């Protein structure tokens, strides 16, 4: 961009210079054709065009032209430099804004993606934890049920043992307490009564026994 | 002449008494036979046990009669081999009265020549157990309590309910 600007400026300056020179030449020609007294005078004074040109475009005039050209060139240069500077600043500013916006959008996009991935990971972790919790809960229920069943079985066993042992204890107590207190002769009626009740069974067994 | 029907006397209750009687009968037979050979009085001063005397008297036997002796021997030996025996167990040793009553009932209701044996079992308490040829009868207090265990449990539960209410 800078190179093109410089070329453009140089071209413009060259064009101005050429135009200025051409204009000067034309003015000179016009003055010559108008035959103003001055011109006449001048004409009358100088008869050869080379001499006239030399006379008009003398060193001071050329110097003046050069100075004016130089000043104009500097002015143009300055203006164009200013334009260039402004343009550069604008371009830099736009570039900065563009970079900022691009970077911001890219960062936002990346951050949103990152946030999305974080969210997905969090959701997956939550789901995994929930599954684990559900599995643990199911296992807890299963184990609780099995433990309850085992406890019930154990309880029933203990109750059964207690009932069995209690009756045995009471039986033994009664037997120990009163076993020797009742004479066989007092039991005779009971003994004969039981024998009488089971008489048929006894006879049958003795009949068929070896 | 038809053989007399011989039966046991009530004092012969156990198989051991029967074996003893048979041994005694052997000795008596030998003694009588010796006396016969010597020409002495066969039954004079012959020492007989209570049971043998009872058997002879109860069955109206004549010791000098060899047929009677033979019948008696045959009867006793047959009984030794084929008698029905019942085994009773008690907590206490049995008295003579109890044995007599038992044997009287058994010979009246079960078999006229039945024998019995007795034993001791401390776990019986009140009552007795009876073992026949193939069966075992438990008429003890322990068995009665075991058979009524549910009643005991039920009563205990009722007591617990009353206590907790």
């Amino acid at each position: 961009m800078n190179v093109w600007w410089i070329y453009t400026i140089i071209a413009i300056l060259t064009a101005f210079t050429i135009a200025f020179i051409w204009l000067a030449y034309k003015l000179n020609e016009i003055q010559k054709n108008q035959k103003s007294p001055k011109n006449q005078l001048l004409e009358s004074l100088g008869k050869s065009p080379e001499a006239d040109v030399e006379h008009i475009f003398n060193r001071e005039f050329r110097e003046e032209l050069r100075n004016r050209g130089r000043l104009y060139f500097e002015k143009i240069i300055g203006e164009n430099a200013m334009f260039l500077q402004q343009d550069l600043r604008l371009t830099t500013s736009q570039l900065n804004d563009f970079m900022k916006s691009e970077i911001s959008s890219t960062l936002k996009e990346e951050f949103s993606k990152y946030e999305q991935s974080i969210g997905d990971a969090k959701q997956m972790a939550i789901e995994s934890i929930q599954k684990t919790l559900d599995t643990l809960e199911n296992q807890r229920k299963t184990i609780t049920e099995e433990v309850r069943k085992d406890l019930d079985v154990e309880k029933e066993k203990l109750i059964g043992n207690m009932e069995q042992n209690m009756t045995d204890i009471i039986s033994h107590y009664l037997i120990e307490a009163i076993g020797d207190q009742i004479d066989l002769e007092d039991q005779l009626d009971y003994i004969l009564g039981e024998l009488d009740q089971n008489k048929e069974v006894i006879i049958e067994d003795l009949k068929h026994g070896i | 002449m038809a053989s007399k029907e011989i039966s046991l006397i009530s004092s012969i209750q156990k198989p051991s008494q029967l074996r003893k009687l048979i041994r005694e009968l052997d000795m008596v037979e030998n003694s009588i036979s010796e006396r016969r050979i010597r020409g002495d009085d066969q039954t004079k001063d012959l020492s007989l046990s209570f049971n043998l005397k009872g058997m002879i008297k109860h069955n109206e036997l004549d010791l000098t009669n060899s047929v009677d002796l033979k019948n008696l021997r045959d009867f006793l030996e047959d009984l030794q081999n084929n008698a029905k025996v019942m085994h009773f167990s008690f907590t206490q040793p049995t008295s003579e009265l109890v044995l007599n009553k038992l044997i009287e009932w058994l010979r009246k209701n079960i078999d006229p020549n039945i024998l019995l044996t007795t034993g001791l079992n401390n776990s019986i308490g009140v009552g007795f157990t009876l073992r026949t040829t193939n069966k075992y009868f438990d008429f003890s207090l322990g068995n009665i309590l075991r058979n009524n265990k549910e009643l005991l449990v039920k009563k205990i539960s009722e007591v617990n309910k009353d206590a907790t209410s």
Side-chain angles (χ1 to χ4, degrees):
Chain A
M1 290 282 281
N2 292 337
V3 173
W4 281 109
W5 272 110
I6 292 168
Y7 284 159
T8 306
I9 291 164
I10 292 171
I12 291 171
L13 287 174
T14 307
F16 272 113
T17 305
I18 292 171
F20 186 75
I21 293 171
W22 182 78
L23 186 63
Y25 180 70
K26 279 289 181 188
L27 280 175
N28 190 28
E29 278 193 353
I30 289 170
Q31 279 180 352
K32 264 203 289 190
N33 290 333
Q34 279 180 350
K35 300 216 189 256
S36 62
K38 191 176 179 181
N39 288 336
Q40 283 178 356
L41 179 65
L42 286 173
E43 193 179 329
S44 66
L45 288 174
K47 296 293 181 180
S48 67
E50 292 85 7
D52 291 331
V53 168
E54 283 295 324
H55 184 69
I56 295 168
F57 292 100
N58 57 5
R59 195 160 53 100
E60 289 82 13
F61 187 73
R62 287 186 184 143
E63 195 63 34
E64 183 66 23
L65 282 179
R66 276 198 205 96
N67 286 333
R68 286 194 181 188
R70 192 181 298 118
L71 285 172
Y72 191 70
F73 181 72
E74 284 176 358
K75 179 182 161 192
I76 295 295
I77 291 290
E79 286 176 0
N80 283 288
M82 188 183 67
F83 290 142
L84 183 60
Q85 190 182 38
Q86 284 177 354
D87 219 16
L88 279 175
R89 281 181 183 164
L90 183 65
T91 304
T92 306
S93 160
Q94 286 175 352
L95 199 59
N96 284 337
D97 292 339
F98 175 75
M99 290 294 289
K100 277 184 192 173
S101 65
E102 280 297 312
I103 289 170
S104 297
S105 68
T106 304
L107 281 176
K108 275 184 189 171
E109 192 178 326
E110 289 303 317
F111 278 137
S112 68
K113 284 182 186 174
Y114 180 68
E115 200 175 333
Q116 178 69 31
S117 65
I118 292 285
D120 291 343
K122 191 167 74 173
Q123 187 62 31
M124 280 174 65
I126 289 170
E127 285 172 6
S128 172
I129 289 170
Q130 188 60 41
K131 277 183 190 171
T132 306
L133 285 174
D134 291 341
T135 306
L136 284 174
E137 181 64 23
N138 289 337
Q139 282 180 349
R140 184 191 70 84
K141 283 181 185 170
T142 307
I143 289 170
T144 304
E145 194 60 38
E146 285 177 8
V147 167
R148 192 180 304 121
K149 280 181 190 168
D150 289 342
L151 283 175
D152 288 342
V153 167
E154 198 60 34
K155 192 169 71 175
E156 288 298 323
K157 201 191 291 184
L158 286 173
I159 290 172
N161 283 340
M162 188 203 65
E163 289 174 358
Q164 175 68 35
N165 290 332
M166 191 181 297
T167 52
D168 287 342
I169 288 168
I170 292 173
S171 298
H172 280 114
Y173 163 71
L174 286 173
I175 288 165
E176 288 292 326
I178 66 172
D180 293 335
Q181 305 301 316
I182 301 178
D183 193 44
L184 270 180
E185 289 173 18
D186 298 328
Q187 301 176 39
L188 207 49
D189 288 338
Y190 167 72
I191 293 169
L192 294 177
E194 290 293 338
L195 286 173
D196 204 48
Q197 276 186 13
N198 295 277
K199 185 168 66 177
E200 300 302 326
V201 178
I202 294 169
I203 291 171
E204 198 61 37
D205 180 58
L206 289 174
K207 196 185 289 181
H208 294 109
I210 299 170
Chain B
M1 193 166 92
S3 58
K4 293 179 190 171
E5 192 69 33
I6 297 174
S7 60
L8 276 179
I9 55 174
S10 61
S11 61
I12 300 175
Q13 297 161 347
K14 299 182 182 179
S16 58
Q17 290 173 312
L18 191 65
R19 285 192 293 274
K20 197 173 170 184
L21 192 63
I22 293 172
R23 282 198 299 274
E24 190 186 355
L25 188 62
D26 282 340
M27 285 168 55
V28 165
E29 277 181 333
N30 290 335
S31 180
I32 290 173
S33 161
E34 282 171 10
R35 286 182 184 195
R36 190 182 300 120
I37 292 169
R38 285 201 301 266
D40 292 337
D41 185 354
Q42 292 176 36
T43 59
K44 186 183 177 184
D45 297 330
L46 198 60
S47 173
L48 300 175
S49 66
F50 174 79
N51 285 337
L52 187 55
K53 278 185 193 171
M55 281 295 287
I56 291 167
K57 186 178 175 184
H58 176 73
N59 295 291
E60 296 173 356
L61 298 173
D62 181 10
L63 277 180
T64 57
N65 188 337
S66 61
V67 174
D68 284 352
L69 281 178
K70 183 178 177 308
N71 287 340
L72 180 61
R73 164 176 287 286
D74 290 343
F75 171 77
L76 292 175
E77 283 178 351
D78 180 59
L79 208 58
Q80 187 184 35
N81 295 328
N82 300 313
K84 296 176 179 56
V85 182
M86 292 171 70
H87 181 82
F88 289 81
S89 294
F90 302 97
T91 303
Q92 309 160 18
T94 49
S95 64
E96 200 175 320
L97 174 65
V98 168
L99 283 175
N100 289 340
K101 290 283 184 186
L102 266 179
I103 207 72
E104 183 187 336
W105 187 92
L106 288 171
R107 286 180 181 166
K108 184 180 169 186
N109 293 280
I110 305 295
D111 187 278
N113 295 318
I114 198 165
L115 297 172
L116 62 83
T117 57
T118 58
L120 288 177
N121 186 342
N122 289 330
S123 67
I124 291 173
V126 177
F128 66 102
T129 61
L130 168 62
R131 193 176 70 241
T132 57
T133 312
N134 295 312
K135 283 193 185 303
Y136 177 82
F137 301 88
D138 191 340
F139 300 113
S140 64
L141 174 64
N143 193 43
I144 293 169
L145 291 173
R146 275 190 292 278
N147 289 339
N148 290 283
K149 188 170 62 176
E150 290 80 18
L151 177 62
L152 176 65
V153 170
K154 184 181 161 190
K155 288 296 179 187
I156 290 172
S157 301
E158 284 174 9
V159 167
N160 279 339
K161 270 186 198 168
D162 292 339
T164 54
S165 64

